[in-house]
Amino acid sequence: MEKILLKLVLFCLWRLVGVFGATGWGTESVMEGESVTLSLYSSLGPMQQDDLIQWRFGKYVIVDTNVTTGSMTVYDDVLDGRFRDRLKLDNQTRSLTITNITTEHAGDYEVRTINRPQTMDYILTVYKGISVTEGDSVTLNIIPEISKNDILWKYETEMATIAHINRTAERFSTSDVPDGRFRDRLKLDNQTGSLTITNITMQHAGDYKLIITGEKQSSKAFRVSVYARLPVPVISNSSNCSSSSSSYCSLLCSVVNVGHVTLSWYKGNSLLSSINVSDLSISLSLPLEVEYQDKNSYSCVLNNPISNQTQHLDITQLCHTCSDSEHCCGSTEAVIRLVLSALVGVATVVILVYDIRSRRAKQDPAHIHSSGCSFPP
């Protein structure tokens, strides 16, 4: 119901400003460090020869352009030079591109034609990216100069309020969302207004918005990415002992139950091969062949954007030459052969002893009858 009412209010405002020549409004969102283009042509229609076009950020003019003469003036030194070397204007469409954007560039933009009453407004949201490992804590910080204002912390598209500071009433509170994912995990700094999420899980990934009210009204946005803890890769020998007549040793580096990672083989510091996956809970394996006598250093590395795990290869342990059967097939087969030989030897002795005793047993009765001895009745 609230969303429907909000849409109705925005529609009414749009129709109201349209009476005074406004064309419309739009929203754009971008991650910090990326670029964004605010278009003009589709908003105000085809440009006319005598158009004078002006781009504004809040109340500050940042670009003036004359379609007739083709002249353009960029005021990139306004607001402490935050737009310096970041503004690009398309000569054909007069669309404005802001490069290498920061959170300082978030806010309200307006493009207007001076000689005909048409404007287009944009609300630009710039997300500050934060990455954290599952189980750790993350703090969403705000700048000190606004710490005395009233603030609201909101989460995800529903923008549910999860923390609130009312300086006048001296009320400081945190609250959970309906599914209870934030229970006993939120800590609000009453002095700075910063919000900490403890023992974070994948469920807490998403967009967070800080709304600052009072004398200095503004907002800031954060996009939190949560990554699982990485296991250590396992290196195994995938060669077949019975047929290992090659001079190369076949190896396999493997990990299980991982997602959003890259698995790589390195020779020293040089990348040999890699494989990546964006799915969750998947098993990965990456093969490698090395010579038995190779003296180089090899390692298998599993990494995501914030951490890595490395397993170094010990060729002498996993790869053996095939000069003799013991080395080729390993000490285990040698032991098995020795045990089998011993068992065969024991069995042979047992058979011989049994055969000798059997023969003696047959000879003893014959010897007794031939001696002519008799026992008294």
Side-chain angles (χ1 to χ4, degrees):
M1 187 63 183
E2 291 180 356
K3 291 183 177 179
I4 295 175
L5 289 175
L6 178 60
K7 289 181 179 179
L8 287 174
V9 170
L10 292 174
F11 177 76
C12 292
L13 288 174
W14 180 81
R15 292 301 301 271
L16 181 62
V17 296
V19 173
F20 298 98
T23 302
W25 61 277
T27 60
E28 293 286 346
S29 60
V30 64
M31 290 296 295
E32 190 174 29
E34 296 179 350
S35 299
V36 64
T37 297
L38 308 179
S39 61
L40 175 147
Y41 186 85
S42 60
S43 307
L44 304 182
M47 291 178 294
Q48 300 177 10
Q49 281 297 318
D50 58 346
D51 272 344
L52 300 174
I53 299 172
Q54 189 177 83
W55 279 97
R56 289 173 171 264
F57 176 67
K59 63 180 181 180
Y60 296 93
V61 177
I62 54 177
V63 176
D64 268 330
T65 180
N66 189 311
V67 175
T68 303
T69 63
S71 62
M72 180 179 70
T73 304
V74 178
Y75 305 98
D76 58 3
D77 285 333
V78 299
L79 297 169
D80 301 323
R82 72 180 63 179
F83 289 102
R84 187 174 296 125
D85 300 326
R86 299 176 191 265
L87 299 178
K88 293 182 179 180
L89 194 69
D90 189 293
N91 292 330
Q92 299 298 320
T93 66
R94 296 308 194 265
S95 297
L96 182 68
T97 298
I98 309 167
T99 62
N100 193 21
I101 206 164
T102 71
T103 54
E104 288 186 327
H105 302 113
D108 298 333
Y109 290 79
E110 179 190 72
V111 57
R112 61 172 65 176
T113 52
I114 304 301
N115 53 332
R116 50 191 174 108
Q118 290 184 323
T119 64
M120 178 70 186
D121 295 317
Y122 285 97
I123 299 174
L124 178 62
T125 301
V126 181
Y127 288 97
K128 182 178 181 61
I130 298 177
S131 298
V132 61
T133 300
E134 193 171 20
D136 290 346
S137 298
V138 63
T139 298
L140 308 180
N141 292 304
I142 64 177
I143 54 178
E145 52 264 35
I146 61 162
S147 60
K148 295 182 179 180
N149 290 52
D150 294 345
I151 65 172
L152 290 173
W153 280 103
K154 293 183 174 290
Y155 174 68
E156 273 299 343
T157 53
E158 297 84 0
M159 286 300 156
T161 300
I162 57 175
H164 181 206
I165 291 182
N166 187 323
R167 301 287 183 187
T168 305
E170 294 186 349
R171 289 202 301 265
F172 312 94
S173 62
T174 59
S175 56
D176 204 350
V177 292
D179 61 10
R181 73 182 65 185
F182 289 104
R183 185 174 296 122
D184 301 324
R185 298 176 191 267
L186 298 177
K187 293 184 178 180
L188 182 65
D189 190 311
N190 296 344
Q191 300 299 318
T192 66
S194 297
L195 183 68
T196 298
I197 308 162
T198 62
N199 192 21
I200 201 165
T201 70
M202 299 290 185
Q203 282 190 321
H204 304 112
D207 297 339
Y208 294 77
K209 194 167 186 179
L210 168 68
I211 299 175
I212 304 156
T213 61
E215 186 177 345
K216 294 183 178 180
Q217 296 185 11
S218 61
S219 65
K220 292 191 177 296
F222 301 84
R223 182 160 292 170
V224 177
S225 300
V226 182
Y227 294 90
R229 292 193 178 277
L230 298 178
V232 178
V234 175
I235 302 176
S236 59
N237 188 334
S238 61
S239 300
N240 189 342
C241 177
S242 61
S243 62
S244 48
S245 58
S246 170
S247 60
Y248 287 90
C249 177
S250 297
L251 301 165
L252 200 64
C253 182
S254 305
V255 287
V256 296
N257 298 328
V258 292
H260 305 291
V261 296
T262 299
L263 187 64
S264 308
W265 273 111
Y266 283 87
K267 180 180 179 180
N269 294 323
S270 301
L271 177 64
L272 296 178
S273 60
S274 66
I275 184 174
N276 57 69
V277 63
S278 58
D279 297 330
L280 290 174
S281 299
I282 196 171
S283 297
L284 286 180
S285 295
L286 192 62
L288 176 70
E289 282 197 344
V290 297
E291 292 185 354
Y292 285 104
Q293 303 301 324
D294 198 328
K295 302 300 182 183
N296 290 297
S297 173
Y298 293 88
S299 58
C300 182
V301 180
L302 179 70
N303 71 282
N304 60 27
I306 59 174
S307 62
N308 65 78
Q309 290 281 13
T310 301
Q311 183 69 270
H312 295 283
L313 171 63
D314 188 342
I315 295 181
T316 59
Q317 284 289 100
L318 289 178
C319 298
H320 304 289
T321 60
C322 292
S323 58
D324 56 68
S325 60
E326 286 192 9
H327 287 157
C328 177
C329 298
S331 59
T332 301
E333 185 172 340
V335 171
I336 293 174
R337 289 183 177 182
L338 183 61
V339 171
L340 290 176
S341 298
L343 290 175
V344 170
V346 171
T348 302
V349 171
V350 170
I351 292 172
L352 288 174
V353 170
Y354 178 80
D355 184 63
I356 292 171
R357 287 183 176 180
S358 297
R359 289 182 180 181
R360 286 181 177 178
K362 291 179 180 179
Q363 291 175 357
D364 286 346
H367 175 71
I368 292 173
H369 288 293
S370 63
S371 64
C373 295
S374 60
F375 295 94

